Amino acid sequence: MWCHRLSHLQSRLQDLLRGRVTCWALQQSNFKSLFPLAIYWHHTASKSLNCVWQQHEDHFELQYANNVMRFDYVWLRDHCRSASCYNSKTHQRSLDTASVDLCIQPKTIHLDETTLFFTWPDGHVTRYDLDWLAKNSYEGQKQKVIQPRILWNAEIYQQAQVPAVDFQTFLETKEGLKNFLQNFLLYGIAFVENVPTTQEHTEKLAERISLIRETIYGRMWFFTSDFSRGDTAYTKLALDRHTDTTYFQEPCGIQVFHCLKHEGTGGRTLLVDGFYAAEQVLQKAPEEFELLSKVPLKHEYIENVGECQNHMIGVGPVLNIYPWNKELYLIRFLKGNKNMVSRQWNYLKSYSLERILAYYCHIHGTSNGYRDSLI
């Protein structure tokens, strides 16, 4: 409706707007009938800028960069980047949010080139670049991808022929580090070759990427099939597709594996793109994707081996998505560490039996329809 009225007004005022920078309240009576909730109406039109905005009683509405955005006045005042409200050196807010009147409204708003100026009742002036508003608006965030990815299965990854990075090049050059990080961020996996088979060199490699996180296993650790820890990884049993540290409140973001020694047979590494698998579920069974992304599970780890006594619980859905743009950012999937699904009945009881059974199948890995296309 708003866009329809806007189009109607623009057609009536086409001649007046052509070549003008601003136009507002040309006829107050007609203007109010077209926009009963608006206080002011502004339109800019030039070869380089097309900006339309409305000042409502409780929010500011901006049409810019092919997007219609809404900003609450409290948000606009709270995010002021003036020297008295924001420390540009620490990138932290100086303004006390609690001091902002929840019913605040600007006294005046005006546009100068590409900058909007809001003058508040106490005389304070907040300025915003139009591009900054477009980037940081809720509507802009919905369209923005946080981390671009290349989704893959075995065929796609083999055809991509992603090169490994040499260890010395990785350590000594920015280009080597850049190539590694680019591969990792796009594909979720990356390889470094010619690494000396010692823990010290592996640690040096890991520190080149980021800080090493302390865990119940230590910062760096060896493991083999000796059952020295209460985990299937320390046995000779095969490990199916899974993600590690699901039972952490914040699962590890990057893991580094280095095979220092191998004797006998077996021990192959199976790599699967979980984001590709999730996309398959989204395309073929969107209702099940919704369940997997909404229903929280208790991911539990219980260890009672020798001196290692640990009981850890991490809570979260199998698929974790950003609520504003539905982008997947984290997967928690390890069949052996999920608590009984019956404990989540309060979250599931509003869904049909068919969907609940489908949910059980997905989280227990018994829905095999997607497996063959993944590896």
Side-chain angles (χ1 to χ4, degrees), residues 155-293:
E155 181 181 1
I156 294 172
Y157 191 79
Q158 289 169 2
Q159 290 179 353
Q161 297 184 332
V162 183
V165 179
D166 177 73
F167 177 64
Q168 289 303 128
T169 303
F170 172 80
L171 284 185
E172 298 172 0
T173 69
K174 291 183 178 179
E175 190 66 22
L177 177 62
K178 177 183 176 181
N179 290 338
F180 171 88
L181 292 176
Q182 185 176 46
N183 292 343
F184 176 77
L185 292 173
L186 286 177
Y187 293 94
I189 57 174
F191 296 90
V192 180
E193 58 187 7
N194 302 320
V195 183
T197 54
T198 68
Q199 180 171 332
E200 291 72 28
H201 286 90
T202 308
E203 185 171 4
K204 183 179 289 187
L205 180 149
E207 290 176 333
R208 176 74 163 145
I209 303 170
S210 182
L211 297 174
I212 300 177
R213 181 174 174 180
E214 190 67 62
T215 73
I216 59 174
Y217 306 102
R219 294 175 74 252
M220 303 281 298
W221 66 92
F222 297 93
F223 67 92
T224 187
S225 55
D226 59 1
F227 201 61
S228 60
R229 301 296 299 263
D231 193 291
T232 308
Y234 289 78
T235 71
K236 295 182 179 180
L237 299 174
L239 293 175
D240 202 355
R241 305 152 186 84
H242 68 279
T243 61
D244 285 330
T245 64
T246 58
Y247 40 85
F248 286 10
Q249 286 292 357
E250 182 184 359
C252 294
I254 301 175
Q255 288 183 278
V256 177
F257 292 93
H258 188 190
C259 182
L260 302 183
K261 185 178 180 180
H262 182 260
E263 295 178 346
T265 60
R268 294 177 58 199
T269 296
L270 173 64
L271 297 173
V272 174
D273 184 0
F275 288 77
Y276 176 90
E279 180 65 20
Q280 297 296 302
V281 176
L282 177 61
Q283 297 299 324
K284 298 177 181 179
E287 292 185 345
E288 276 62 63
F289 182 94
E290 180 188 8
L291 281 173
L292 291 168
S293 63

Side-chain angles (χ1 to χ4, degrees), residues 76-89 91-95 117-118 120 122-129 132:
L76 290 167
R77 180 64 187 91
D78 187 44
H79 286 75
C80 179
R81 288 318 195 238
S82 67
S84 62
C85 298
Y86 184 78
N87 189 326
S88 59
K89 293 182 178 180
H91 302 284
Q92 293 175 320
R93 183 186 284 104
S94 304
L95 175 68
F117 293 82
F118 297 82
W120 305 103
D122 62 358
H124 184 82
V125 177
T126 296
R127 64 178 64 192
Y128 285 115
D129 182 81
W132 189 95

